[in-house]
Amino acid sequence: MKKLLIGTGLILLLIVSGCSNSIGPINPSPNNEDRPNEQMKPSSNKKDNQMGMMGHGHDLPLASSAGKNELNIPPILKSDSETQSDVHYTIDAQIGQTEIFDGIQTKTLGYNSSFLGPVVKLKKGQTAHLTLKNSLDEETTFHWHGLIIDGEADGGPHTVIEPGEEKEITFDVKQDQATLWFHPHPEGKTAKQVFDGLAGLLYIEDELEDTYEYGKNDIPLIIQDRTFDDDKQLNYEAVKDPDGTMGETLLINGTVDPRLTVNKEKVRLRLLNGSNMRNYKIKLSNGEQFEQIDSDGGLLNEAVELTELQLTPSERAEIVIDFSQFETGEEIKLMMDDETVLLPFKIEEEKPTGKNTIEPVKNEVEITDEEKNMPVTKEINLSGMGHHVAINDKQYDKDRIDLTQKQGETEIWEIYNEPDMMGGMIHPFHIHDTQFKVISINGEKPPKNLQGYKDTISLDPDDRAKIAVKFEEKGIYMYHCHILEHEDNGMMGQIEVE
Ligand code: C2O
Ligand code: CU
Ligand code: CU
């Protein structure tokens, strides 16, 4: 009862603050934009994560990892053939069964395997030839999230591969090193196919030396939450939520109750939030600092020291934890801000050490004065909930092009998350075929870990961000909310780049 009263009070507060916003200045004053802001995203109570969910029924708790199983490390996909200049891969979307729980087979989907997928490695400067096979019993697409790629190969909802069919795509790899990922994108069916297991990692490598070693001290963490039924099966229709499906069971790289054995050395963790809708605020159990070195599209200008990091669906962050500062046998865990354990670490002296741990050379992502002063030429308004989500008051229509932009030209997009009667919720806004730069959030310079390349920007209710967007390739591309049920419900638009 007490909770309810507090809740009602907060909702009233939200409505009041919502109203005062609507009569206040709509645009943040531009001369704020250079104010240095070393903090994480400025947050008032109103913008608190949990608060933003109020009234949307989104508080399904996630069970802590008991650390019973050593983390599965996805294999690296073997090429069909590779030369300096060209690489060929085959990627096959399949139906399978996976022993997620001891002695029980769960029906799942996967790429080249029964669940999730291998890491696909591409090198900058190479031409990639991918044979894409659909061995499912329904249509699918192969989308390369974060990759700069022409519209025909991007794998949006208009490039369906029918069951039993295959298709080859060819493209040049032009990006610097980055941790990207791939997943299906068929119209209205993305959430279910990802839920059932279709998701894999895509690593771009460049001329910079790889200073960590995959699987030893360079570890991917695909973080997902799922609800299993009484028979330990994935039954999407039974648990789906039009505002984003949450699960009570944590999976990292498909492992339940994961733990990771590490050495007393620096370990690079490549985090991907591969969940349909859950946001994770991540910290270490002892409150120690860690470094973030990479955001969605590549290395940051410098390592950023953090004690907490928020990851919304589809976002990536690479963090480095220095385990040499901890004692062997000390209990360190990766956890959420509400103390849910994501990944307990087992610190060992004996595990063979990976290569050295010289920090990779940093990027130089710079926001030019020109970009800072350019007028906003695209406005994106995110609104609604459940089946009524919309972008600029419209829902996705495959026959409608919503925006156009010229190849190679930068434009400033302003994204606004319009609160609703319940206060609203976080929407992670994603654009295909680009790595954009965040110019400002609510008129202020973004925190340091958002000052690198991004393909998804998470907005709290009433947040307004300016981003500098450039497309290097041509074609028709999606932009959408990456809560997968919002995307499926039409919170998506199309831009044609000419
Ligand atoms: Cu992760 Cu439209 O994409
Ligand atoms: Cu994408
Ligand atoms: Cu959304």
Side-chain angles (χ1 to χ4, degrees):
M1 185 59 194
K2 200 169 165 205
K3 239 187 184 167
L4 224 165
L5 279 174
I6 296 170
T8 317
L10 287 171
I11 288 173
L12 277 173
L13 231 165
L14 281 172
I15 293 173
V16 170
S17 68
C19 290
S20 65
N21 272 333
S22 64
I23 51 169
I26 306 268
N27 282 309
S29 69
N31 51 3
N32 277 340
E33 292 192 359
D34 266 321
R35 195 188 300 154
N37 175 15
E38 308 282 289
Q39 302 297 313
M40 290 291 293
K41 208 174 216 182
S43 76
S44 59
N45 277 340
K46 175 175 73 95
K47 294 195 169 165
D48 186 76
N49 189 353
Q50 312 305 329
M51 265 300 304
M53 296 302 164
M54 275 204 48
H56 290 254
H58 271 110
D59 47 10
L60 185 66
L62 185 66
S64 280
S65 167
K68 281 187 282 196
N69 304 305
E70 186 66 24
L71 181 75
N72 175 51
I73 305 293
I76 292 174
L77 183 63
K78 272 191 61 171
S79 63
D80 302 331
S81 68
E82 179 165 14
T83 61
Q84 274 279 79
S85 60
D86 291 78
V87 63
H88 294 253
Y89 286 113
T90 302
I91 303 177
D92 187 3
Q94 307 173 343
I95 302 173
Q97 302 213 4
T98 308
E99 190 177 330
I100 298 171
F101 299 92
D102 279 342
I104 300 169
Q105 295 296 326
T106 301
K107 291 197 183 76
T108 49
L109 304 180
Y111 294 111
N112 299 30
S113 68
S114 67
F115 196 36
L116 298 174
V119 177
V120 178
K121 281 197 179 189
L122 299 175
K123 294 194 182 85
K124 186 183 179 185
Q126 260 180 346
T127 302
H129 309 261
L130 310 187
T131 303
L132 310 174
K133 284 191 181 174
N134 179 3
S135 304
L136 309 175
D137 55 12
E138 58 185 328
E139 59 179 41
T140 195
T141 79
F142 294 72
H143 169 58
W144 317 98
H145 182 123
L147 192 67
I148 291 164
I149 186 170
D150 86 78
E152 275 307 302
D154 178 59
H158 50 287
T159 50
V160 158
I161 303 179
E162 297 294 337
E165 306 274 292
E166 63 176 67
K167 173 182 175 179
E168 190 181 304
I169 58 168
T170 298
F171 57 91
D172 296 330
V173 183
K174 297 178 175 166
Q175 282 160 270
D176 291 337
Q177 67 165 274
T179 301
L180 313 178
W181 64 301
F182 59 103
H183 63 77
H185 219 301
E187 190 178 348
K189 295 179 196 151
T190 299
K192 179 178 186 300
Q193 290 189 2
V194 173
F195 184 87
D196 285 344
L198 288 179
L201 289 161
L202 179 65
Y203 285 8
I204 311 287
E205 299 179 324
D206 59 19
E207 59 285 350
L208 290 181
E209 203 212 332
D210 206 349
T211 50
Y212 290 85
E213 200 170 335
Y214 183 78
K216 294 230 167 92
N217 53 12
D218 183 344
I219 311 284
L221 300 179
I222 305 171
I223 305 174
Q224 298 178 310
D225 59 334
R226 296 287 183 268
T227 297
F228 293 87
D229 68 14
D230 294 342
D231 300 321
K232 297 278 189 246
Q233 299 301 310
L234 291 165
N235 185 348
Y236 180 71
E237 290 307 322
V239 296
K240 83 167 183 201
D241 181 327
D243 252 333
T245 303
M246 281 198 179
E248 51 205 11
T249 304
L250 166 77
L251 293 175
I252 303 185
N253 302 346
T255 307
V256 279
D257 283 323
R259 71 157 184 271
L260 178 64
T261 303
V262 293
N263 240 320
K264 290 178 74 170
E265 62 176 339
K266 285 191 175 179
V267 177
R268 176 182 189 168
L269 300 174
R270 304 189 189 217
L271 274 45
L272 158 66
N273 182 347
S275 305
N276 285 34
M277 90 82 62
R278 189 183 290 274
N279 302 314
Y280 300 86
K281 275 194 186 156
I282 292 167
K283 60 174 190 175
L284 286 174
S285 49
N286 57 3
E288 275 303 321
Q289 285 192 334
F290 52 87
E291 286 184 331
Q292 184 178 349
I293 59 167
D294 172 301
S295 59
D296 294 338
L299 293 166
L300 294 167
N301 288 350
E302 55 185 350
V304 181
E305 305 233 301
L306 297 172
T307 52
E308 191 176 271
L309 168 70
Q310 175 171 280
L311 269 195
T312 63
S314 90
E315 283 188 296
R316 282 89 64 214
E318 293 182 27
I319 64 173
V320 173
I321 301 174
D322 186 359
F323 287 96
S324 68
Q325 58 181 328
F326 306 133
E327 296 304 319
T328 308
E330 199 176 333
E331 280 197 15
I332 310 288
K333 302 166 188 132
L334 202 63
M335 48 178 19
M336 287 167 67
D337 61 337
D338 67 358
E339 309 294 309
T340 304
V341 178
L342 297 172
L343 187 66
F345 296 106
K346 188 160 172 248
I347 303 173
E348 270 185 8
E349 208 102 47
E350 305 305 326
K351 199 188 172 199
T353 311
K355 292 202 293 195
N356 67 53
T357 51
I358 302 162
E359 290 308 317
V361 183
K362 310 299 187 266
N363 246 334
E364 279 168 38
V365 186
E366 203 208 338
I367 298 170
T368 61
D369 283 338
E370 195 195 341
E371 286 166 340
K372 272 184 217 154
N373 295 321
M374 280 173 88
V376 171
T377 42
K378 300 231 179 329
E379 289 187 48
I380 301 284
N381 188 76
L382 308 171
S383 67
M385 55 188 283
H387 291 285
H388 304 290
V389 284
I391 295 182
N392 295 344
D393 295 324
K394 293 197 190 87
Q395 292 200 325
Y396 178 70
D397 177 346
K398 64 178 184 322
D399 299 319
R400 185 188 67 231
I401 299 295
D402 300 275
L403 299 171
T404 58
Q405 189 162 328
K406 287 244 151 39
Q407 180 186 27
E409 281 185 14
T410 299
E411 286 197 40
I412 306 299
W413 295 36
E414 189 176 78
I415 327 291
Y416 177 58
N417 180 355
E418 186 185 321
D420 60 35
M421 289 292 286
M422 308 291 216
M425 58 192 288
I426 290 179
H427 296 290
F429 179 74
H430 166 57
I431 313 176
H432 289 202
D433 184 48
T434 185
Q435 290 294 338
F436 54 74
K437 294 185 275 188
V438 183
I439 309 279
S440 66
I441 298 174
N442 299 323
E444 297 193 28
K445 196 170 168 181
K448 282 212 163 134
N449 62 334
L450 295 184
Q451 290 178 26
Y453 288 116
K454 295 283 295 166
D455 55 53
T456 303
I457 180 166
S458 145
L459 295 177
D460 288 347
D462 208 24
D463 268 2
R464 189 184 295 275
K466 279 193 202 177
I467 59 176
V469 182
K470 182 161 81 172
F471 296 95
E472 302 286 0
E473 298 285 335
K474 289 189 202 174
I476 294 171
Y477 300 102
M478 307 297 128
Y479 53 88
H480 58 89
C481 174
H482 220 288
I483 292 175
L484 296 180
E485 286 76 11
H486 281 182
E487 174 194 325
D488 280 349
N489 291 343
M491 198 172 201
M492 179 157 76
Q494 303 192 82
I495 182 162
E496 180 157 18
V497 180
E498 312 158 297

